[in-house]
Short mmCIF file of all heavy atoms in Angstrom, two decimals:
data_model
loop_
_atom_site.label_atom_id
_atom_site.label_comp_id
_atom_site.label_asym_id
_atom_site.label_seq_id
_atom_site.Cartn_x
_atom_site.Cartn_y
_atom_site.Cartn_z
N ALA A 1 110.33 159.52 36.72
CA ALA A 1 110.37 159.68 38.18
C ALA A 1 108.97 159.92 38.74
O ALA A 1 108.61 159.37 39.79
CB ALA A 1 111.29 160.83 38.56
N VAL A 2 108.17 160.72 38.05
CA VAL A 2 106.80 161.00 38.52
C VAL A 2 105.96 159.73 38.47
O VAL A 2 105.25 159.40 39.42
CB VAL A 2 106.16 162.12 37.68
CG1 VAL A 2 104.68 162.26 38.01
CG2 VAL A 2 106.88 163.45 37.92
N VAL A 3 106.02 159.01 37.35
CA VAL A 3 105.26 157.76 37.23
C VAL A 3 105.76 156.74 38.26
O VAL A 3 104.97 156.03 38.90
CB VAL A 3 105.38 157.18 35.81
CG1 VAL A 3 104.74 155.79 35.75
CG2 VAL A 3 104.72 158.11 34.80
N GLY A 4 107.06 156.70 38.44
CA GLY A 4 107.63 155.74 39.39
C GLY A 4 107.23 155.99 40.83
O GLY A 4 107.26 155.08 41.66
N ALA A 5 106.83 157.24 41.15
CA ALA A 5 106.42 157.57 42.51
C ALA A 5 105.00 157.11 42.82
O ALA A 5 104.63 156.95 43.99
CB ALA A 5 106.54 159.07 42.73
N VAL A 6 104.19 156.89 41.78
CA VAL A 6 102.78 156.56 41.98
C VAL A 6 102.58 155.28 42.80
O VAL A 6 101.77 155.27 43.73
CB VAL A 6 102.05 156.47 40.62
CG1 VAL A 6 100.61 155.99 40.81
CG2 VAL A 6 102.07 157.83 39.92
N PRO A 7 103.28 154.18 42.51
CA PRO A 7 103.09 152.97 43.34
C PRO A 7 103.39 153.20 44.81
O PRO A 7 102.73 152.63 45.68
CB PRO A 7 104.07 151.96 42.72
CG PRO A 7 104.24 152.42 41.32
CD PRO A 7 104.19 153.90 41.38
N PHE A 8 104.39 154.04 45.12
CA PHE A 8 104.72 154.31 46.52
C PHE A 8 103.56 155.00 47.24
O PHE A 8 103.21 154.66 48.37
CB PHE A 8 105.98 155.18 46.61
CG PHE A 8 107.21 154.56 46.00
CD1 PHE A 8 108.13 155.34 45.31
CD2 PHE A 8 107.46 153.20 46.10
CE1 PHE A 8 109.26 154.79 44.75
CE2 PHE A 8 108.59 152.62 45.55
CZ PHE A 8 109.50 153.42 44.86
N VAL A 9 102.97 155.99 46.56
CA VAL A 9 101.87 156.75 47.17
C VAL A 9 100.63 155.87 47.32
O VAL A 9 99.98 155.85 48.36
CB VAL A 9 101.54 158.00 46.33
CG1 VAL A 9 100.33 158.73 46.91
CG2 VAL A 9 102.74 158.95 46.28
N LEU A 10 100.31 155.11 46.26
CA LEU A 10 99.11 154.28 46.30
C LEU A 10 99.22 153.14 47.31
O LEU A 10 98.22 152.72 47.89
CB LEU A 10 98.82 153.71 44.90
CG LEU A 10 98.41 154.72 43.83
CD1 LEU A 10 98.14 154.01 42.52
CD2 LEU A 10 97.19 155.51 44.27
N ALA A 11 100.45 152.65 47.52
CA ALA A 11 100.63 151.59 48.52
C ALA A 11 100.31 152.10 49.92
O ALA A 11 99.85 151.35 50.78
CB ALA A 11 102.05 151.04 48.46
N GLY A 12 100.58 153.40 50.14
CA GLY A 12 100.21 154.03 51.40
C GLY A 12 100.89 153.46 52.62
O GLY A 12 100.32 153.44 53.72
N GLN A 13 102.13 153.03 52.46
CA GLN A 13 102.85 152.40 53.56
C GLN A 13 104.05 153.25 53.98
O GLN A 13 104.86 153.66 53.15
CB GLN A 13 103.34 151.00 53.15
CG GLN A 13 102.22 150.04 52.78
CD GLN A 13 102.74 148.78 52.12
OE1 GLN A 13 103.75 148.80 51.43
NE2 GLN A 13 102.03 147.68 52.32
N GLY A 14 104.17 153.48 55.28
CA GLY A 14 105.35 154.12 55.83
C GLY A 14 105.64 155.50 55.27
O GLY A 14 104.76 156.23 54.82
N THR A 15 106.92 155.85 55.26
CA THR A 15 107.35 157.18 54.82
C THR A 15 107.08 157.42 53.34
O THR A 15 106.95 158.57 52.91
CB THR A 15 108.85 157.37 55.09
OG1 THR A 15 109.57 156.27 54.53
CG2 THR A 15 109.13 157.45 56.58
N LEU A 16 107.02 156.36 52.55
CA LEU A 16 106.82 156.53 51.11
C LEU A 16 105.40 156.92 50.74
O LEU A 16 105.14 157.26 49.58
CB LEU A 16 107.19 155.24 50.37
CG LEU A 16 108.66 154.84 50.39
CD1 LEU A 16 108.88 153.58 49.57
CD2 LEU A 16 109.53 155.97 49.85
N ALA A 17 104.48 156.91 51.69
CA ALA A 17 103.11 157.31 51.39
C ALA A 17 103.00 158.81 51.15
O ALA A 17 102.08 159.27 50.46
CB ALA A 17 102.18 156.91 52.54
N ASP A 18 103.94 159.58 51.69
CA ASP A 18 103.96 161.02 51.47
C ASP A 18 104.41 161.32 50.04
O ASP A 18 105.45 160.79 49.60
CB ASP A 18 104.91 161.69 52.46
CG ASP A 18 105.00 163.19 52.25
OD1 ASP A 18 104.11 163.91 52.72
OD2 ASP A 18 105.97 163.64 51.59
N PRO A 19 103.68 162.13 49.27
CA PRO A 19 104.04 162.39 47.87
C PRO A 19 105.44 162.94 47.67
O PRO A 19 106.13 162.57 46.71
CB PRO A 19 102.97 163.38 47.41
CG PRO A 19 101.80 163.12 48.30
CD PRO A 19 102.38 162.75 49.62
N VAL A 20 105.88 163.83 48.56
CA VAL A 20 107.23 164.39 48.44
C VAL A 20 108.28 163.31 48.65
O VAL A 20 109.25 163.21 47.89
CB VAL A 20 107.44 165.55 49.43
CG1 VAL A 20 108.90 165.99 49.44
CG2 VAL A 20 106.55 166.74 49.07
N ASN A 21 108.07 162.48 49.66
CA ASN A 21 108.99 161.37 49.90
C ASN A 21 108.98 160.39 48.73
O ASN A 21 110.02 159.85 48.34
CB ASN A 21 108.61 160.64 51.19
CG ASN A 21 109.01 161.41 52.43
OD1 ASN A 21 109.83 162.31 52.38
ND2 ASN A 21 108.40 161.06 53.56
N ALA A 22 107.77 160.13 48.20
CA ALA A 22 107.66 159.19 47.09
C ALA A 22 108.40 159.70 45.86
O ALA A 22 109.10 158.94 45.18
CB ALA A 22 106.19 158.96 46.75
N LEU A 23 108.27 161.00 45.56
CA LEU A 23 108.99 161.57 44.43
C LEU A 23 110.49 161.54 44.66
O LEU A 23 111.27 161.25 43.75
CB LEU A 23 108.52 163.01 44.17
CG LEU A 23 109.17 163.72 42.99
CD1 LEU A 23 108.88 162.99 41.68
CD2 LEU A 23 108.68 165.18 42.89
N PHE A 24 110.91 161.85 45.89
CA PHE A 24 112.33 161.78 46.24
C PHE A 24 112.87 160.37 46.00
O PHE A 24 113.92 160.19 45.36
CB PHE A 24 112.52 162.17 47.71
CG PHE A 24 113.94 162.12 48.20
CD1 PHE A 24 114.70 163.28 48.27
CD2 PHE A 24 114.52 160.93 48.60
CE1 PHE A 24 116.02 163.25 48.73
CE2 PHE A 24 115.84 160.87 49.06
CZ PHE A 24 116.59 162.04 49.12
N GLU A 25 112.13 159.36 46.49
CA GLU A 25 112.58 157.98 46.36
C GLU A 25 112.62 157.54 44.91
O GLU A 25 113.55 156.85 44.46
CB GLU A 25 111.66 157.06 47.16
CG GLU A 25 112.22 155.68 47.42
CD GLU A 25 113.20 155.64 48.58
OE1 GLU A 25 113.38 156.69 49.25
OE2 GLU A 25 113.79 154.57 48.81
N SER A 26 111.60 157.93 44.15
CA SER A 26 111.53 157.55 42.74
C SER A 26 112.64 158.23 41.93
O SER A 26 113.28 157.59 41.09
CB SER A 26 110.16 157.91 42.16
OG SER A 26 110.07 157.52 40.81
N MET A 27 112.88 159.52 42.19
CA MET A 27 113.96 160.22 41.50
C MET A 27 115.30 159.62 41.89
O MET A 27 116.20 159.45 41.04
CB MET A 27 113.93 161.71 41.82
CG MET A 27 114.96 162.53 41.06
SD MET A 27 114.69 162.53 39.26
CE MET A 27 113.38 163.76 39.14
N SER A 28 115.46 159.26 43.15
CA SER A 28 116.69 158.61 43.60
C SER A 28 116.88 157.28 42.90
O SER A 28 118.01 156.87 42.62
CB SER A 28 116.65 158.41 45.12
OG SER A 28 117.82 157.80 45.58
N GLY A 29 115.75 156.61 42.61
CA GLY A 29 115.83 155.33 41.91
C GLY A 29 116.22 155.49 40.46
O GLY A 29 117.20 154.90 40.01
N ILE A 30 115.48 156.28 39.70
CA ILE A 30 115.72 156.37 38.26
C ILE A 30 117.03 157.07 37.95
O ILE A 30 117.62 156.86 36.89
CB ILE A 30 114.54 157.09 37.56
CG1 ILE A 30 114.55 156.81 36.06
CG2 ILE A 30 114.56 158.58 37.86
CD1 ILE A 30 114.38 155.36 35.69
N THR A 31 117.54 157.91 38.88
CA THR A 31 118.84 158.56 38.66
C THR A 31 119.98 157.71 39.23
O THR A 31 121.13 158.16 39.24
CB THR A 31 118.87 159.95 39.32
OG1 THR A 31 118.59 159.83 40.72
CG2 THR A 31 117.85 160.88 38.68
N THR A 32 119.66 156.52 39.72
CA THR A 32 120.63 155.58 40.31
C THR A 32 121.41 156.22 41.46
O THR A 32 122.60 155.98 41.62
CB THR A 32 121.61 155.01 39.26
OG1 THR A 32 122.49 156.02 38.80
CG2 THR A 32 120.86 154.41 38.09
N THR A 33 120.73 157.06 42.24
CA THR A 33 121.39 157.72 43.36
C THR A 33 121.49 156.80 44.57
O THR A 33 122.57 156.58 45.11
CB THR A 33 120.63 159.01 43.75
OG1 THR A 33 120.59 159.88 42.62
CG2 THR A 33 121.33 159.72 44.90
N GLY A 34 120.36 156.28 45.02
CA GLY A 34 120.39 155.38 46.16
C GLY A 34 120.14 156.06 47.49
O GLY A 34 120.16 155.40 48.54
N ALA A 35 119.91 157.38 47.49
CA ALA A 35 119.52 158.05 48.72
C ALA A 35 118.08 157.67 49.03
O ALA A 35 117.22 157.71 48.14
CB ALA A 35 119.64 159.57 48.55
N THR A 36 117.79 157.31 50.27
CA THR A 36 116.46 156.80 50.59
C THR A 36 115.83 157.55 51.75
O THR A 36 116.53 158.07 52.62
CB THR A 36 116.50 155.30 50.91
OG1 THR A 36 115.17 154.82 51.12
CG2 THR A 36 117.34 155.03 52.15
N VAL A 37 114.50 157.60 51.74
CA VAL A 37 113.76 158.15 52.87
C VAL A 37 113.07 157.04 53.65
O VAL A 37 112.32 157.30 54.59
CB VAL A 37 112.70 159.18 52.40
CG1 VAL A 37 113.36 160.42 51.84
CG2 VAL A 37 111.75 158.56 51.37
N VAL A 38 113.31 155.80 53.28
CA VAL A 38 112.69 154.66 53.95
C VAL A 38 113.35 154.45 55.31
O VAL A 38 114.57 154.36 55.41
CB VAL A 38 112.80 153.38 53.10
CG1 VAL A 38 112.22 152.19 53.87
CG2 VAL A 38 112.08 153.56 51.77
N VAL A 39 112.52 154.39 56.34
CA VAL A 39 113.03 154.11 57.69
C VAL A 39 112.39 152.85 58.27
O VAL A 39 112.78 152.38 59.33
CB VAL A 39 112.76 155.30 58.65
CG1 VAL A 39 113.53 156.52 58.22
CG2 VAL A 39 111.26 155.61 58.73
N ASP A 40 111.41 152.33 57.55
CA ASP A 40 110.63 151.20 58.04
C ASP A 40 110.50 150.15 56.95
O ASP A 40 109.43 149.94 56.39
CB ASP A 40 109.24 151.67 58.49
CG ASP A 40 108.65 152.73 57.56
OD1 ASP A 40 109.19 152.90 56.44
OD2 ASP A 40 107.66 153.37 57.93
N PHE A 41 111.60 149.47 56.65
CA PHE A 41 111.63 148.51 55.56
C PHE A 41 110.60 147.40 55.75
O PHE A 41 110.03 146.90 54.78
CB PHE A 41 113.03 147.91 55.43
CG PHE A 41 114.01 148.81 54.74
CD1 PHE A 41 114.65 149.82 55.44
CD2 PHE A 41 114.29 148.67 53.39
CE1 PHE A 41 115.56 150.66 54.81
CE2 PHE A 41 115.19 149.51 52.75
CZ PHE A 41 115.82 150.51 53.46
N ASP A 42 110.36 147.00 56.99
CA ASP A 42 109.44 145.89 57.25
C ASP A 42 108.00 146.22 56.89
O ASP A 42 107.19 145.30 56.70
CB ASP A 42 109.52 145.48 58.73
CG ASP A 42 110.86 144.87 59.09
OD1 ASP A 42 111.56 144.42 58.17
OD2 ASP A 42 111.21 144.86 60.28
N ARG A 43 107.67 147.49 56.79
CA ARG A 43 106.29 147.88 56.47
C ARG A 43 105.99 147.84 54.98
O ARG A 43 104.84 147.93 54.58
CB ARG A 43 106.00 149.29 57.01
CG ARG A 43 105.97 149.41 58.51
CD ARG A 43 105.41 150.73 58.95
NE ARG A 43 104.03 150.93 58.48
CZ ARG A 43 103.34 152.05 58.63
NH1 ARG A 43 103.90 153.10 59.21
NH2 ARG A 43 102.10 152.16 58.17
#
């Protein structure tokens, strides 16, 4: 989950640029949860 969050932070786009959001999204991904903090898919 920690490694998976790195691309989100480095991309620096939208809500996923925040480290807490990036970790949330990555943990949601690897745990197959599907809860998202993305509000701006087009970015």
